[in-house]
Amino acid sequence: MSGRARLTFFAALATLFTAWSLNLLVEAGSWLPQSAALLALQSGVGAGARRVPLARSLTVAAQLLVSLLALMLLFGGKARTSSGDGLLSYLVTDFGALFEQGFRDVNEFAIPAPLTDGIRLLLVCGVLLIGLLVDLLAVTLRMAAAAGLPLLALYSVAAGLSGAASASGGASWFTFLLAGCGYLLLLLAEGRDRLAQWGRVFGAAPRGRVAAGYSGGGQALAPVRTGRRIGALALGLALAVPAVLPALGGGVLGTGGAGEGEGTGIGPSIQAVNPLVSLQSSLNAQDNRVVLKYRTNSPQLSEQYLRILALDEFNGVKWEASGRALTDVPKRMPNPPGVSGPVLADATEVVTSVSSAQTYAQRYLPMPYPATQVDIGGKWRFEPVGRTLVGDQLGKDNFQNAQGAQYTVRSLLLKPTSDQLRKAPAPNPAIKAEYTKLPDNLPEIVVKTAREVTRGAQDDYTAAVKLQDYFAVSGGFRYDTKVSSGTGSQAIARFLADKEGFCVHFAFSMASMARSVGIPARVAVGFTPGEKQSDGSINVSMRDAHAWPELYFEGVGWTRFEPTPRSGITVPDYSRPETPQNEPSAPAPAPSASAAQPSAGPSKAEDCPPDQKKLGECGPAAPGQNAGAGGDGPSAGTVLGWTAAGLLVLALPLLPFLWRGRLRARRLGAGDVLAAWHELGDAAWDVGIPPDEALSPRGAADRLVELGRLEPEAAAAVRRLAGAVEHALYAPPGAEPSYGAAGPDVLLARAGLLAGVSRTTRLRALFLPRSGARVRWAASARWTSLTARAATATTRLRTRIPFWSRG
C-alpha cells in the first residue's frame, strides 16, 4: 500500500472511530454501517481522483458529487414530498424535507432518540462532512495534525449532547479512547509517509545489540517506535488523570457523575445538577407516555404538584441546585422552614401513594411539597434545605433512581390566606441574603421591568401578585413550547422582549425579577397534578413536566406562584384578587388590577380572575407582541452559518499556501521550460534568495546553487534546467531539444532549498511565501491600467461632448 493510500485509509478510520461517540445519541446503531460504507466510497473517489491526478478543488467536488448521489440512492423517497423527477427537484424538495424532518425530530425527542429517517440522514451527512474535511486536510493537503480539529468538533458535539442528557456525565471512556486511537493512527501513518519521502524507513537495531552503541553498519533505532510509545503514554494519562484528580471529574470523559463529591462533614453533597435538559423534549413528546401514577386523599387536587427539586442558585448562565450536604432520610422530617404556628394549624396532612414507570430513571424523587414522611425502599439521601430525596451511590457510575419505584409520601397541604401573606414580616436576613443574589451580567431591562411592574406595591405579596399577573394576564405573553429554552441572563431579556416561551422562561424570569425587588425566590421543577382516571388514580405524563417559581414569606415559608399562561394550570387561591361578594359589578380592589404594562387590547371582563383569563374563559386574550421566534438557542441555519464562518476564518491563514501550491501545479503541468524556470526562481525567493533579473540563466543557476548550499544532485537539476532555458531562449527555431524533466528537476531543487534552511524559514516559505508579492504587484498593475483606461475614456468623452464644461 502506497503512503497516500495508507493515509486515506487511516483518515477514514479516524473519522469512523470518532463517529462512534454519536451512537450514544440514538437508540439504534444501524446508521453506523451505512456511514462506514458511504465514507469508504467517498474516500475511494478521493484516492482515485488524486491518482489521475485532478486538481484539489476538482477532487473535493468529485467526492461531494458522488456522496450526494449515494445519499440519494440511500434516502430516496423517504420524505415522499417530491413533485418532480429531476435531480434538482429531488435535492430541493425531497432531500430538504427530510432534513427539516430530522431537525424537528432532534428538537422533539429526548436523548437517546429513536433513529428516524431524518435523524439518520443528519448523522450520516455529519459523518461524511467531517470525513471529507479530514481527508482534505490529512491526505490532499498533507496536514494530518490539522485534521484533528474536525475530529475534535465531532467528538465534542457528541460528548456535549450525551453528557447534557445523561446522569453519567457524557461520553464513556471507551468512546474517547477509540477517537484518540484513530487520531494517533492517522498521525503515525503521516509520520511514516514523511520519513519514507527521505529514503528508506529506519528500522530497529538487531536483537542482542544495544542501539545506542551499535555502529557496525546497522540501522539507527526507529523513531516510529518512540512515537508510538509517546502517543500511548499521552493517551493513558488523558484517561487516568481525570479519574485520579477529583478536580478534573466531569471532564472530557465525563468521569465523576452528578451527585458525587464531598460535603461539609455531614455526608456527600449534591452537585449543580440541572434537570431541565429534557423538559422541553418532554413537553413536545409525541407519545406522551405516563411516567407516574398515584392515589391521594388530598381534598384539593389542583395543589398536588409533584416536586423534584429546587434550583436556588443563578450564576448568569443557568439556574441550578447549589451543592448542599446530605443526611440519612429521617423517619419524620422536620417542619418546613419559615412556616409559623397559624399556618401549620390550618394545614391538612395528605397521604399519597406513587408508582413510578420503568422508563423514569430520575435520581430525584417526585413528592408533594412539603413532605413530612417518606416510605420507600432502596438507598436514598435527604437534602434538608430543599426537602428533596436524592438517590445514593450504589457502585461505580451507578446510582439509586426512581425507576419502577413504589413509595408512600405524607405531606402537608398548606392553606395560607392572602391576608397572611400580605402581613408577613420581613424575611430572615440569612434567607434574604442567599435567595436574592443576582449575577453581575443580569441585563438592566430585567431590573427595570420588575420595578415598573411592581410600582406602587406596599408589600412583597402585592409585588409578587403583580409579577404573576404581568406574565399570566396583562403582559401579552404567549405560551409556546417550540421556543428554544435558553437559561441565561440574555435569554430572560430576550423572553421579555419577544414575549413567548414555556414554563422555564416564565419561572426563571419571575424568580429573577422577584429577587431584583428584594423578594427571596427560587425555581422548582417537577410535575403538575396530572389527569384523574375513572378508577380514582391520577396519571402523570411527560407533558405534565413543569417549572414554577417559589417565593419566600416569613411565617408561610416557600410559596408557589404560577406565571405560566398554560391550559390546565390553576393560579393558587391565595394569589387571586378578593372580589366583594355583595357588589359583583364593582371593580375588584385586587393588587393585580394595577399590574404594569396592561394589555394593548381592551378586556371584555375587567373583573375576571387571572386563572380564567389564562384559560381563555373571559374573551380573547391580549395579542402577543413580537411573535417572532425567540429563545436562547440558535436555529439550524444560524449554526450552519457560524460553522461556515469559522471554517472560513480557519482557512484564511492557508490561502497563501494553497495559492502557491496551485500556481506551482499550473506552471509545472504546462510543460513549458520558461514557466518551470520562473517557478524555480519563486521557490528560491520563498527561502530568502531574491531574484536577480540582471543575471543570465547560467549565472542565476550558479548563484542559486551557492546561496542555497545545494547538494550535488539538486545542483545538477538546477544547472540542467538553466541549460534548457538557454536553449529555449537562444537556439534557432526548430533546434530546441525536448526537455521533459523540468517538473521533477524543479521539485528536486525546491526540496534541496527547503532542506538547507532552518525550520522557521521553511515554515515561512510554505505558509507565508515571499513570492506572494507578485500578487500585490499584479493587483497594483491592474489597478493602474484600469485608472489609466478610465482617464483616457473621460478625456475622449470630454472632447466628443462640446458642452461638457457648461452647467
Side-chain angles (χ1 to χ4, degrees):
M1 183 183 293
S2 65
R4 181 161 285 188
R6 186 182 298 107
L7 267 179
T8 303
F9 172 76
F10 281 107
L13 191 65
T15 305
L16 278 180
F17 281 1
T18 308
W20 179 272
S21 58
L22 295 173
N23 227 15
L24 300 173
L25 306 181
V26 291
E27 294 177 348
S30 58
W31 66 274
L32 199 55
Q34 296 173 340
S35 301
L38 294 182
L39 187 61
L41 176 63
Q42 178 179 273
S43 301
V45 171
R50 285 185 289 266
R51 193 172 181 84
V52 170
L54 292 179
R56 292 169 178 174
S57 57
L58 293 179
T59 300
V60 176
Q63 289 176 290
L64 279 174
L65 179 60
V66 172
S67 299
L68 281 175
L69 293 175
L71 288 171
M72 286 178 57
L73 293 176
L74 183 61
F75 292 95
K78 297 290 186 181
R80 305 183 185 278
T81 58
S82 294
S83 57
D85 300 327
L87 173 63
L88 182 61
S89 173
Y90 174 82
L91 291 178
V92 173
T93 58
D94 200 71
F95 222 45
L98 197 56
F99 264 109
E100 185 178 354
Q101 176 186 330
F103 284 115
R104 285 198 305 267
D105 292 342
V106 167
N107 290 327
E108 180 173 337
F109 294 107
I111 296 173
L115 190 61
T116 63
D117 291 330
I119 294 179
R120 185 192 301 268
L121 176 62
L122 293 180
L123 290 173
V124 173
C125 287
V127 172
L128 289 181
L129 178 60
I130 296 298
L132 182 61
L133 291 175
V134 172
D135 185 84
L136 172 64
L137 292 171
V139 187
T140 303
L141 301 180
R142 294 301 184 100
M143 295 188 300
L149 292 176
L151 293 175
L152 177 62
L154 179 62
Y155 177 81
S156 299
V157 169
L161 292 177
S162 60
S166 66
S168 60
S172 66
W173 65 269
F174 178 73
T175 58
F176 173 76
L177 180 63
L178 201 62
C181 286
Y183 183 51
L184 286 179
L185 289 173
L186 177 60
L187 293 180
L188 289 173
E190 191 217 21
R192 181 175 180 180
D193 183 54
R194 288 186 181 275
L195 287 176
Q197 293 179 3
W198 291 92
R200 185 174 53 183
V201 177
F202 294 118
R207 291 185 179 181
R209 309 223 180 170
V210 180
Y214 179 70
S215 59
Q219 297 171 331
L221 180 65
V224 175
R225 178 175 299 177
T226 303
R228 292 194 186 109
R229 291 172 180 172
I230 293 174
L233 178 62
L235 194 60
L237 288 175
L239 287 169
V241 170
V244 175
L245 300 179
L248 296 182
V252 69
L253 300 182
T255 59
E260 300 177 56
E262 296 300 327
T264 59
I266 302 178
S269 61
I270 302 177
Q271 302 300 317
V273 178
N274 192 343
L276 298 173
V277 175
S278 59
L279 193 148
Q280 185 175 19
S281 300
S282 300
L283 293 174
N284 291 322
Q286 289 182 339
D287 54 357
N288 193 30
R289 59 181 179 270
V290 175
V291 293
L292 298 169
K293 289 187 176 184
Y294 69 91
R295 292 179 179 272
T296 183
N297 62 352
S298 174
Q300 196 170 355
L301 187 60
S302 62
E303 295 295 325
Q304 192 73 4
Y305 279 58
L306 297 179
R307 184 172 172 276
I308 298 176
L309 84 163
L311 310 177
D312 54 7
E313 186 175 300
F314 185 33
N315 56 18
V317 178
K318 59 182 177 180
W319 282 82
E320 59 187 3
S322 57
R324 300 198 183 271
L326 301 179
T327 65
D328 293 334
V329 180
K331 186 175 182 180
R332 179 80 181 184
M333 298 179 186
N335 289 333
V339 183
S340 65
V343 176
L344 283 176
D346 294 336
T348 302
E349 188 171 61
V350 174
V351 180
T352 305
S353 299
V354 187
S355 176
S356 172
Q358 291 291 337
T359 56
Y360 184 74
Q362 174 64 251
R363 281 186 58 203
Y364 296 88
L365 193 67
M367 303 184 299
Y369 182 86
T372 58
Q373 186 176 350
V374 182
D375 182 13
I376 185 174
K379 294 182 65 176
W380 295 88
R381 305 282 282 171
F382 177 60
E383 194 275 287
V385 177
R387 301 182 68 85
T388 57
L389 260 64
V390 58
D392 201 358
Q393 186 169 4
L394 303 176
K396 185 178 181 181
D397 298 330
N398 186 21
F399 296 86
Q400 179 72 54
N401 59 47
Q403 186 175 14
Q406 295 184 356
Y407 54 98
T408 302
V409 182
R410 290 182 177 271
S411 60
L412 295 178
L413 177 61
L414 302 178
K415 304 172 184 177
T417 65
S418 58
D419 188 60
Q420 289 174 324
L421 291 167
R422 185 179 295 107
K423 296 179 180 180
N428 184 294
I431 291 179
K432 184 170 183 178
E434 179 178 0
Y435 293 99
T436 56
K437 291 180 181 178
L438 288 171
D440 295 334
N441 65 342
L442 187 69
E444 181 64 26
I445 184 64
V446 180
V447 180
K448 181 180 178 181
T449 305
R451 291 174 180 172
E452 291 178 353
V453 171
T454 59
R455 184 181 293 121
Q458 301 297 321
D459 50 75
D460 288 351
Y461 167 74
T462 305
V465 173
K466 284 189 173 187
L467 288 174
Q468 174 181 267
D469 290 354
Y470 171 64
F471 289 108
V473 181
S474 62
F477 288 85
R478 188 171 68 90
Y479 184 80
D480 185 2
T481 60
K482 301 298 183 181
V483 176
S484 299
S485 56
T487 59
S489 298
Q490 296 301 323
I492 296 176
R494 190 177 300 112
F495 168 66
L496 293 177
D498 295 342
K499 297 195 173 184
E500 60 180 3
F502 59 104
C503 57
V504 168
H505 300 99
F506 288 94
F508 286 175
S509 300
M510 180 171 173
S512 301
M513 294 169 70
R515 286 191 174 193
S516 70
V517 295
I519 306 175
R522 64 189 185 187
V523 175
V525 182
F527 297 95
T528 54
E531 184 177 355
K532 192 168 185 178
Q533 307 300 303
S534 58
D535 61 352
S537 64
I538 295 97
N539 286 354
V540 178
S541 62
M542 293 178 64
R543 293 181 188 170
D544 291 318
H546 189 47
W548 62 92
E550 290 182 343
L551 277 57
Y552 182 84
F553 294 89
E554 194 68 37
V556 180
W558 290 103
T559 309
R560 176 179 67 90
F561 282 82
E562 270 301 352
T564 306
R566 169 182 161 189
S567 177
I569 295 180
T570 59
V571 173
D573 291 339
Y574 46 78
S575 66
R576 296 176 184 270
E578 296 179 355
T579 305
Q581 298 299 320
N582 57 346
E583 296 181 8
S585 60
S592 60
S594 60
Q597 299 186 17
S599 191
S603 175
K604 291 188 177 180
E606 294 297 337
D607 57 349
C608 183
D611 58 329
Q612 295 185 22
K613 284 188 178 182
K614 287 165 59 176
L615 300 180
E617 298 174 3
C618 305
Q625 301 176 7
N626 296 335
D632 193 37
S635 64
T638 304
V639 171
L640 293 176
W642 279 108
T643 303
L647 293 176
L648 181 61
V649 171
L650 292 176
L652 285 179
L654 300 177
L655 289 180
F657 173 80
L658 298 175
W659 168 76
R660 278 295 288 126
R662 181 59 182 160
L663 179 62
R664 184 183 308 113
R666 188 169 69 247
R667 284 173 171 175
L668 300 184
D672 185 9
V673 174
L674 295 181
W677 179 253
H678 288 153
E679 173 56 33
L680 179 60
D682 283 354
W685 190 6
D686 291 340
V687 297
I689 305 176
D692 189 349
E693 304 292 343
L695 296 176
S696 65
R698 188 168 303 181
D702 293 338
R703 175 174 175 267
L704 194 152
V705 170
E706 180 181 357
L707 296 180
R709 298 187 296 276
L710 296 180
E711 297 294 332
E713 188 175 357
V718 172
R719 292 192 170 97
R720 283 197 302 270
L721 186 60
V725 171
E726 288 181 339
H727 278 283
L729 292 175
Y730 307 122
E736 301 92 338
S738 61
Y739 181 62
D745 280 347
V746 170
L747 295 178
L748 181 59
R750 179 175 177 269
L753 289 170
L754 292 174
V757 296
S758 64
R759 176 176 296 182
T760 303
T761 305
R762 186 161 56 250
L763 290 176
R764 178 177 177 179
L766 292 175
F767 296 101
L768 291 174
R770 293 176 174 87
S771 60
R774 296 192 186 278
V775 177
R776 186 174 68 253
W777 296 347
S780 178
R782 181 66 60 86
W783 176 254
T784 302
S785 175
L786 289 176
T787 54
R789 290 182 188 176
T792 303
T794 302
T795 303
R796 291 178 179 176
L797 189 62
R798 286 179 175 178
T799 58
R800 292 181 180 180
I801 301 178
F803 302 105
W804 175 273
S805 59
R806 300 183 183 180

